[in-house]
mmCIF file of all heavy atoms in Angstrom:
data_model
loop_
_atom_site.group_PDB
_atom_site.id
_atom_site.type_symbol
_atom_site.label_atom_id
_atom_site.label_comp_id
_atom_site.label_asym_id
_atom_site.label_seq_id
_atom_site.Cartn_x
_atom_site.Cartn_y
_atom_site.Cartn_z
ATOM 1 N N LEU V 1103 -54.284 -36.285 129.238
ATOM 2 C CA LEU V 1103 -55.271 -36.810 130.168
ATOM 3 C C LEU V 1103 -56.701 -36.610 129.676
ATOM 4 O O LEU V 1103 -57.640 -37.276 130.138
ATOM 5 C CB LEU V 1103 -55.094 -36.161 131.547
ATOM 6 C CG LEU V 1103 -53.835 -36.625 132.332
ATOM 7 C CD1 LEU V 1103 -53.764 -35.919 133.661
ATOM 8 C CD2 LEU V 1103 -53.835 -38.150 132.561
ATOM 9 N N SER V 1113 -67.387 -33.649 107.812
ATOM 10 C CA SER V 1113 -66.959 -33.826 106.422
ATOM 11 C C SER V 1113 -65.836 -32.823 106.052
ATOM 12 O O SER V 1113 -65.399 -32.806 104.924
ATOM 13 C CB SER V 1113 -68.182 -33.667 105.505
ATOM 14 O OG SER V 1113 -68.812 -32.447 105.782
ATOM 15 N N VAL V 1116 -58.935 -32.429 105.955
ATOM 16 C CA VAL V 1116 -57.746 -32.110 106.756
ATOM 17 C C VAL V 1116 -56.756 -31.457 105.802
ATOM 18 O O VAL V 1116 -56.346 -32.069 104.788
ATOM 19 C CB VAL V 1116 -57.147 -33.383 107.387
ATOM 20 C CG1 VAL V 1116 -55.834 -33.068 108.112
ATOM 21 C CG2 VAL V 1116 -58.152 -34.014 108.340
ATOM 22 N N GLU V 1126 -44.584 -34.697 110.052
ATOM 23 C CA GLU V 1126 -43.196 -34.300 110.338
ATOM 24 C C GLU V 1126 -42.917 -34.405 111.814
ATOM 25 O O GLU V 1126 -41.867 -34.909 112.246
ATOM 26 C CB GLU V 1126 -42.963 -32.868 109.840
ATOM 27 C CG GLU V 1126 -41.482 -32.479 109.862
ATOM 28 C CD GLU V 1126 -41.231 -31.075 109.331
ATOM 29 O OE1 GLU V 1126 -42.172 -30.416 108.863
ATOM 30 O OE2 GLU V 1126 -40.067 -30.649 109.443
ATOM 31 N N GLU V 1153 -62.000 -49.871 99.011
ATOM 32 C CA GLU V 1153 -61.321 -51.195 98.916
ATOM 33 C C GLU V 1153 -60.818 -51.618 100.297
ATOM 34 O O GLU V 1153 -60.827 -52.801 100.613
ATOM 35 C CB GLU V 1153 -60.137 -51.092 97.962
ATOM 36 C CG GLU V 1153 -60.468 -51.163 96.503
ATOM 37 C CD GLU V 1153 -59.216 -51.279 95.633
ATOM 38 O OE1 GLU V 1153 -58.542 -52.309 95.720
ATOM 39 O OE2 GLU V 1153 -58.884 -50.296 94.956
ATOM 40 N N THR V 1165 -64.230 -45.204 105.714
ATOM 41 C CA THR V 1165 -64.779 -44.407 104.621
ATOM 42 C C THR V 1165 -65.196 -43.015 105.081
ATOM 43 O O THR V 1165 -65.204 -42.073 104.287
ATOM 44 C CB THR V 1165 -66.007 -45.129 104.012
ATOM 45 O OG1 THR V 1165 -66.828 -45.612 105.080
ATOM 46 C CG2 THR V 1165 -65.580 -46.278 103.141
ATOM 47 N N ASN V 1181 -32.992 -51.749 103.088
ATOM 48 C CA ASN V 1181 -32.256 -52.819 102.379
ATOM 49 C C ASN V 1181 -31.710 -52.318 101.040
ATOM 50 O O ASN V 1181 -30.597 -52.633 100.642
ATOM 51 C CB ASN V 1181 -33.168 -54.022 102.118
ATOM 52 C CG ASN V 1181 -33.461 -54.799 103.393
ATOM 53 O OD1 ASN V 1181 -32.786 -54.638 104.412
ATOM 54 N ND2 ASN V 1181 -34.471 -55.665 103.352
ATOM 55 N N ARG V 1187 -25.074 -49.402 98.458
ATOM 56 C CA ARG V 1187 -23.833 -48.860 99.072
ATOM 57 C C ARG V 1187 -22.873 -49.999 99.498
ATOM 58 O O ARG V 1187 -22.122 -49.882 100.444
ATOM 59 C CB ARG V 1187 -24.185 -48.000 100.322
ATOM 60 C CG ARG V 1187 -25.046 -46.832 100.032
ATOM 61 C CD ARG V 1187 -24.316 -45.733 99.245
ATOM 62 N NE ARG V 1187 -25.205 -44.606 98.993
ATOM 63 C CZ ARG V 1187 -25.985 -44.468 97.905
ATOM 64 N NH1 ARG V 1187 -25.969 -45.391 96.977
ATOM 65 N NH2 ARG V 1187 -26.779 -43.410 97.770
ATOM 66 N N HIS V 1235 -52.530 -59.482 104.862
ATOM 67 C CA HIS V 1235 -52.313 -60.085 103.531
ATOM 68 C C HIS V 1235 -53.085 -59.358 102.442
ATOM 69 O O HIS V 1235 -52.615 -59.201 101.302
ATOM 70 C CB HIS V 1235 -52.643 -61.581 103.537
ATOM 71 C CG HIS V 1235 -54.013 -61.918 104.058
ATOM 72 N ND1 HIS V 1235 -54.508 -61.433 105.253
ATOM 73 C CD2 HIS V 1235 -54.963 -62.682 103.531
ATOM 74 C CE1 HIS V 1235 -55.721 -61.904 105.435
ATOM 75 N NE2 HIS V 1235 -56.031 -62.676 104.399
ATOM 76 N N PHE V 1303 -72.583 -54.439 128.657
ATOM 77 C CA PHE V 1303 -71.897 -55.392 127.750
ATOM 78 C C PHE V 1303 -72.176 -56.819 128.140
ATOM 79 O O PHE V 1303 -72.450 -57.697 127.314
ATOM 80 C CB PHE V 1303 -70.380 -55.224 127.827
ATOM 81 C CG PHE V 1303 -69.842 -54.093 127.015
ATOM 82 C CD1 PHE V 1303 -68.744 -53.361 127.472
ATOM 83 C CD2 PHE V 1303 -70.390 -53.747 125.774
ATOM 84 C CE1 PHE V 1303 -68.203 -52.329 126.736
ATOM 85 C CE2 PHE V 1303 -69.862 -52.702 125.048
ATOM 86 C CZ PHE V 1303 -68.766 -51.996 125.526
ATOM 87 N N VAL V 1304 -72.086 -57.098 129.478
ATOM 88 C CA VAL V 1304 -72.268 -58.459 129.973
ATOM 89 C C VAL V 1304 -73.688 -58.918 129.662
ATOM 90 O O VAL V 1304 -73.894 -60.010 129.127
ATOM 91 C CB VAL V 1304 -71.959 -58.508 131.491
ATOM 92 C CG1 VAL V 1304 -72.289 -59.914 132.050
ATOM 93 C CG2 VAL V 1304 -70.515 -58.149 131.783
#
Side-chain angles (χ1 to χ4, degrees):
L1103 288 180
S1113 54
V1116 175
E1126 192 179 354
E1153 281 188 67
T1165 44
N1181 287 345
R1187 299 291 180 269
H1235 54 309
F1303 279 146
V1304 175

